[in-house]
Structure formats: C-alpha cells, structure tokens
Amino acid sequence: MAKNKTPQELRSARWFAPDDLRAFGHRSRAMQMGYAPEEWKDRPVIAILNTWSDAQPCHMHFKSRVDDVKRGILMAGGFPMELPALSLSESFLKPTTMLYRNLLAMDAEELLRGHPVDGVVLMGGCDKTTPALLLGATSMGLPAIYLPAGPMLRGNWKGKTLGSGSDAWKYWDERRAGKISAKDWVDVEAGIARSYGTCMTMGTASTMTAIAESLGMTLPGASSIPAADAGHIRMSSESGRRIVEMVWEDLTPQKIQTRPAFENAITVAMAMGCSTNAIIHLIAQARRAGHDIGLDDFETASRKVPVIANVRPSGDSYLMEDFFYAGGLPGLMSRIRDHLHLDCMTVTGRTLGDNIASAEVYNDDVIRTVANPIYAEGALAVLKGNLAPDGCVIKPSACEPRFLKHSGPALVFDDYPSMKRAIDDPDLDVTADHVLILRNAGPQGGPGMPEWGMLPIPTRLVKQGVRDMVRLSDARMSGTSYGACILHVAPEAYIGGPLALVKNGDRITLDVAARSIHLDVPEAELAKRRAEWQPPETRYERGYGWMFTRHIRQANEGCDFDFLETGFGGPVGEPAIY
Ligand code: FES
C-alpha cells in the first residue's frame, strides 16, 4: 500500500488534533462514547453510510452486516463511524423512491461533509440507494467503496422458480384471467421473496450494483454475491479493510470515475440486459463526475454489445444466484473484455484488467459467449421523433419481436387512476393493436417519474390471451418489468411535451431498427393543439416536493436537481470549525 498521506493530513485531524476548545469537545465526546484516544488518534475515521431500516426488507441484513464492515476497518487500523442514511425501500416508500433519490444523495453528501471522516463505505443495493449514495459520495469526493446488499435467493412456488417482479406481473395476469386461485396467489406472495437481499432478477438493483462494480467502485465480484452467502460477509469485512488503505493512498472517486470508466459501465449494462433505469442514473452519476454522458452513449454501446447474461427478464430462466455460480460479473466482463477499457483504476488500487485477469465462466448457458448471445444487440434502444424530440427508451430484449415495428391508434390516459378504472372495464374500446398511453407521469408530472410504464393489459384482452402490447409513457418501469413499453418520453407531458398533444385515435408509428417514433398528425394540427394546451395544476405548494418540482431535470438529463450538478457553481468548501 502506498502511503500518500501523513496522520496530520487526515481530514479528521481537523476535528481531533488541534489544541483548542472545539477539538477538546470532539475528543471529550468521543471518550463519552467509551473510546480511548488510542482508538482514533492518527487513524483514518471511516464513515459507514448504512441504509438499513425497519422499512427496508432488502437491507435487513445490514443491521448485522455493518459489524462485519467495522471488523474490517478496525483490523486495518481505522476507526469506524456508522451514520444512518435514508433507506429508500422500493416496496414501501410512496409515491415512488425516485422522488427521493436526490434527497438521499444530498443526505449522503452532507453527512460526509459535516462529520470528521476520511473515507466511506456505502451500504446500499435496493434500486435508488446505489445511485443516490454514489451521487453524494462523488460530489463529496472522499475515498469511497460501495458495498452492494447482494441479491436474495431464488424464489420458489410448488417447485417452480419465481423471479422478483417479473413473476409477480406474470401471475397477476394469470389471476386476472381466473387461472390461479386466491390460495395459490398467497403462496406466490410467500415464495417470491425468500431471503433478505435485493431483487434477484436483472432489475434495477442488480443493474445498478453491476454498474457500481464495472465503474470500479466495488471489490471485484462484490455485486453478484447473494446476500445470504457467507462470501457476502467476507466481502463486507474486506471492504472495511480496503477503505482504510484507500484513505492512506488518497484513492478518490475522481481517480476512478473517468469517462472510459463510465463507458465500461454502459457497455456492461448492455451486456447484462440492464434495467431501463440505468440510463437515468448513469447520466446523473457521470454529470456529477464531470463527464457529459448522454443518450447517444447508450445508443452507441447498444449497437455494438449483445446481451449475454441469460437472466430474467431479458433471459428466459436464470436468476442472479445462477449468475453468481456461473462466474458473476467478473466472468461476464471477461467475455466482453475487447469492448472494455481495461486500464481503468478501481477501488482495489489495480486496474479493471488486473481484476478480471483470472475471471472465468462456469456455465455457458447463463453467461453466454458474444457469438451466442440471448439478444444480438444491446438491451436498450433510444428512439427519437416528433413525439419524443429529446428521446425515449425501449427494452427490445424483453418484448415480443413483432412490436419492434408497429403502427396503431392511441388510447390515452391523463393519469393513473383513470387508467386503472378503464383497464378493468369489460366494454373498453381497445384492441391488441392499440398503443396504450399514460401521460403526466414524468419527473414533474408523476411526480418523481413512478414505475408505471408497464401499463396493465386491459382485462378484456387478458381474457382473450393477450399478454403484450405497445405501451407508451413519460414514466419509468421497474427493471423487473417486460413487454413493449416505451418509456422516459422527453420532454414530459406535464411541462407541455408533445405527448400532451396526443388524442385518442391518433396513429403512432414506431420502428426500433430505425430508432424512430412518430405521431402521425399534421404539424398544423399539432400547433393548434399546442396553442390550446393548458398546464396542469401545481403538484406541491410547499416542502420537499415544492423544491423537487422546481429543480428536477428531465429524464434524458438524468433527473438530478440542477443545483446539485457539478457544473452549477464553484466547489463547496470544507466546513468551518470554530
Ligand atoms: Fe429492493 Fe427490488 S425491492 S431491490
């Protein structure tokens, strides 16, 4: 380990070292907690941002796992300081966790800024916690290592494997079609989430933790280890040991999160069959790190890297546990090494190339070769046209191929409640060729861009056996969702984007190969509708929501707050200590 700092140069020394009244208070209060000076003096103080809470099932194990992190920190000569952070449970928090991603990012940044810490272990995993913690830590700039919660074990029901989210939607359609009983439904509820850990499909959680690893922000292989595996405990302790070394080495996120590192993350995301949410979070993260990554970077990667992770929902049968046994993310990266910048630095102090030098794949059906992919092009495609001038996104690998080129009449819903009512109407005037539209569900309209983009198939059509149709919205969708869902339409309808102008019966044409989406209405008619358009009523008159709606960026810009972006103003200094 290179020692690039003296104990006197540690940031925490500003709090503990001076011979003045304030430092007396800091030392005295540390002793109030039972710590002798020998335990912190001249040692890196390591923050552990822990997103455990009683409302966060995916992070249940963090309550005890934090002790393993502390063990590692102490063993390496550091002093651990656990700081609870907002837990953002994807299942329980309403109206949507995306409303609060930036709040956790601010929480993380300011917790680090205000406390006497030299480096940080970020404990997250459930969807928004990964990008939020990384956004905050990137802006603060202290040495940081990400500790992914790890996927939960495979679900099981009557001997059948169940996957988070994907099988919930699937069996809900079966229940609506009257094909499974109420008792079966309860058994599916009990069997689909069998252990602590994050969703074990290739949803947003698995996507974002894989992105953290491919960016170089986790230990090699960390994102694939199941939460309930003893290897996860060992990885936690090792993360604690390593962060202490990183502080001495002064290995900061800026040295790791270069533009090529973000290109690696996008490439890996495509090969994983990633969640559509990856786009929003990675754009925000890159901008925090000072790089102008946009939709075009995803489009470029999508054209050159196939989907090789055979994990649901893009894959047909396997889950993250299988992916781990097959070699995990290092195995996958070894298969696409020709597309990666192998000289990127990582938290290990070695390059990505070094980290995956001995990686292997143990099951060629779970982690395919590039020559035998599960989908020939990347997971996501960016469409543009008069309906989405700033772009929208589809996941072609998870929808029926016949919808990749489609033209159909629009059936428009202005909000979720009216859509929900209509969907169950047995007399709803809808065919399988219709394009279902939900609008006012974007960053400001949702608010917070909820995961409503996989609109339910109308019950009438479900009973006829229809299981997929084209759906279009300015919302997001869960990474565990699937189907011909076109998402993130920008600009959103709530601020007067073209989606606001669509009327029932208008024809919409999409062509994924040509990356186009078109509202087949003459421009003169659209101009008339635009002039008549009235903005919807204001969502929030006060509080956090008020701030959110005034500062949130659009989906193609990463949904960060404008004032949190790195280019917004000069750097924030260290806190005064007087
Ligand atoms: Fe937490 Fe899916 S609900 S990862």
Side-chain angles (χ1 to χ4, degrees):
M1 173 188 62
K3 228 171 177 176
N4 298 326
K5 261 186 190 166
T6 65
Q8 296 73 36
E9 288 169 334
L10 290 173
R11 181 173 179 270
S12 58
R14 289 188 65 225
W15 276 258
F16 290 115
D19 184 14
D20 63 17
L21 189 58
R22 281 286 164 259
F24 159 84
H26 305 145
R27 292 189 296 263
S28 159
R29 293 300 173 156
M31 284 195 261
Q32 179 185 12
M33 293 189 284
Y35 298 115
E38 293 79 0
E39 294 182 70
W40 75 78
K41 192 170 180 314
D42 296 343
R43 295 173 185 271
V45 180
I46 305 297
I48 307 170
L49 294 195
N50 190 352
T51 50
W52 171 88
S53 88
D54 269 343
Q56 178 44 286
C58 306
H59 299 176
M60 266 167 63
H61 54 313
F62 278 175
K63 193 172 190 176
S64 63
R65 201 65 94 241
V66 70
D67 292 334
D68 305 306
V69 179
K70 288 179 181 174
R71 174 163 55 96
I73 293 170
L74 290 168
M75 190 177 164
F79 179 72
M81 186 177 276
E82 184 182 355
L83 300 170
L86 208 57
S87 70
L88 299 191
S89 164
E90 198 62 29
S91 342
F92 292 129
L93 193 65
K94 304 300 175 202
T96 166
T97 50
M98 191 60 191
L99 188 66
Y100 298 107
R101 184 199 70 182
N102 295 345
L103 187 61
L104 174 55
M106 292 165 76
D107 187 19
E109 181 178 347
E110 301 306 325
L111 277 172
L112 296 177
R113 179 168 291 117
H115 285 93
V117 296
D118 301 294
V120 57
V121 179
L122 306 163
M123 297 180 69
C126 191
D127 294 19
K128 310 305 178 294
T129 57
T130 301
L133 290 170
L134 286 171
L135 286 168
T138 299
S139 290
M140 185 53 204
L142 298 180
I145 193 167
Y146 191 73
L147 194 166
M152 64 177 97
L153 299 175
R154 290 187 201 96
N156 187 283
W157 172 60
K158 292 187 173 174
K160 293 192 188 100
T161 297
L162 294 179
S164 309
S166 305
D167 278 317
W169 325 126
K170 182 175 137 193
Y171 284 106
W172 179 238
D173 279 349
E174 297 307 309
R175 188 163 183 229
R176 286 198 297 151
K179 294 194 173 160
I180 64 170
S181 68
K183 160 83 169 64
D184 284 340
W185 184 239
V186 171
D187 289 345
V188 170
E189 277 174 7
I192 201 166
R194 286 174 50 229
S195 78
Y196 46 80
T198 49
C199 292
M200 71 328 229
T201 38
M202 186 53 68
T204 304
S206 301
T207 294
M208 293 312 301
T209 53
I211 281 173
E213 180 170 338
S214 50
L215 260 179
M217 293 299 293
T218 77
L219 293 174
S223 65
S224 313
I225 307 171
D229 192 293
H232 194 273
I233 301 175
R234 295 192 295 273
M235 180 273 291
S236 300
S237 170
E238 190 182 345
S239 297
R241 294 199 298 276
R242 179 60 197 147
I243 187 64
V244 177
E245 295 175 351
M246 286 173 68
V247 169
W248 290 124
E249 292 166 6
D250 199 26
L251 182 51
T252 58
Q254 285 85 345
K255 294 171 186 165
I256 295 170
Q257 296 185 37
T258 57
R259 192 175 214 288
F262 279 98
E263 289 169 5
N264 283 345
I266 294 171
T267 300
V268 167
M270 291 299 162
M272 295 280 279
C274 64
S275 157
T276 44
N277 287 317
I279 295 186
I280 294 176
H281 301 316
L282 256 174
I283 289 175
Q285 174 75 8
R287 287 180 169 218
R288 290 283 187 110
H291 311 296
D292 190 15
I293 295 278
L295 290 178
D296 291 344
D297 294 284
F298 288 85
E299 185 52 37
T300 304
S302 169
R303 298 260 187 196
K304 72 177 185 192
V305 186
V307 179
I308 61 168
N310 189 7
V311 178
R312 293 190 209 176
S314 292
D316 55 7
S317 50
Y318 299 113
L319 295 170
M320 287 304 291
E321 199 177 335
D322 308 294
F323 183 72
F324 173 62
Y325 301 141
L329 196 67
L332 178 134
M333 288 197 279
S334 73
R335 289 253 152 114
I336 54 167
R337 67 170 71 238
D338 292 348
H339 295 291
L340 297 174
H341 305 285
L342 297 173
D343 55 349
C344 287
M345 178 51 61
T346 73
V347 292
T348 61
R350 299 187 302 272
T351 64
L352 183 72
D354 293 336
N355 290 349
I356 64 170
S358 59
E360 289 180 65
V361 171
Y362 310 113
N363 185 328
D364 287 337
D365 194 34
V366 180
I367 302 176
R368 301 282 187 86
T369 61
V370 171
N372 180 33
I374 67 156
Y375 192 76
E377 280 195 354
L380 308 180
V382 176
L383 313 182
K384 287 190 179 169
N386 69 343
L387 193 51
D390 293 334
C392 58
V393 177
I394 186 170
K395 189 171 182 178
S397 58
C399 76
E400 290 185 17
R402 67 197 165 96
F403 290 121
L404 298 179
K405 190 165 184 172
H406 181 80
S407 185
L411 178 57
V412 186
F413 302 102
D414 280 324
D415 54 50
Y416 198 92
S418 61
M419 182 274 292
K420 193 163 185 273
R421 274 193 304 275
I423 283 302
D424 289 328
D425 179 352
D427 299 321
L428 185 68
D429 188 11
V430 64
T431 67
D433 281 338
H434 266 90
V435 175
L436 298 181
I437 293 183
L438 176 65
R439 63 188 172 197
N440 300 315
Q444 293 202 34
M449 229 182 152
E451 293 186 337
W452 293 339
M454 191 175 87
L455 275 66
I457 307 289
T459 302
R460 195 179 140 198
L461 298 178
V462 168
K463 289 187 172 160
Q464 293 168 16
V466 176
R467 291 293 184 272
D468 197 4
M469 58 193 294
V470 177
R471 289 154 276 179
L472 177 67
S473 73
D474 45 15
R476 296 174 301 116
M477 77 173 181
S478 163
T480 61
S481 300
Y482 51 86
C485 304
I486 300 162
L487 314 153
H488 308 183
V489 170
E492 63 180 307
Y494 186 86
I495 61 169
L499 191 61
L501 311 179
V502 184
K503 290 189 172 172
N504 282 341
D506 287 351
R507 186 152 284 272
I508 290 172
T509 302
L510 73 120
D511 184 343
V512 173
R515 301 297 197 253
S516 70
I517 182 151
H518 198 264
L519 174 61
D520 302 335
V521 173
E523 182 48 43
E525 169 64 16
L526 289 178
K528 181 167 159 282
R529 292 184 194 177
R530 200 172 291 117
E532 290 167 359
W533 180 76
Q534 295 289 323
E537 60 188 41
T538 306
R539 289 260 191 265
Y540 291 100
E541 301 287 343
R542 63 167 296 281
Y544 174 75
W546 183 91
M547 181 178 80
F548 181 95
T549 48
R550 274 154 188 78
H551 294 285
I552 190 74
R553 294 265 194 209
Q554 288 290 288
N556 59 307
E557 301 170 309
C559 293
D560 207 351
F561 289 156
D562 52 6
F563 62 85
L564 291 177
E565 289 188 331
T566 303
F568 186 80
V572 181
E574 286 287 345
I577 303 178
Y578 292 117

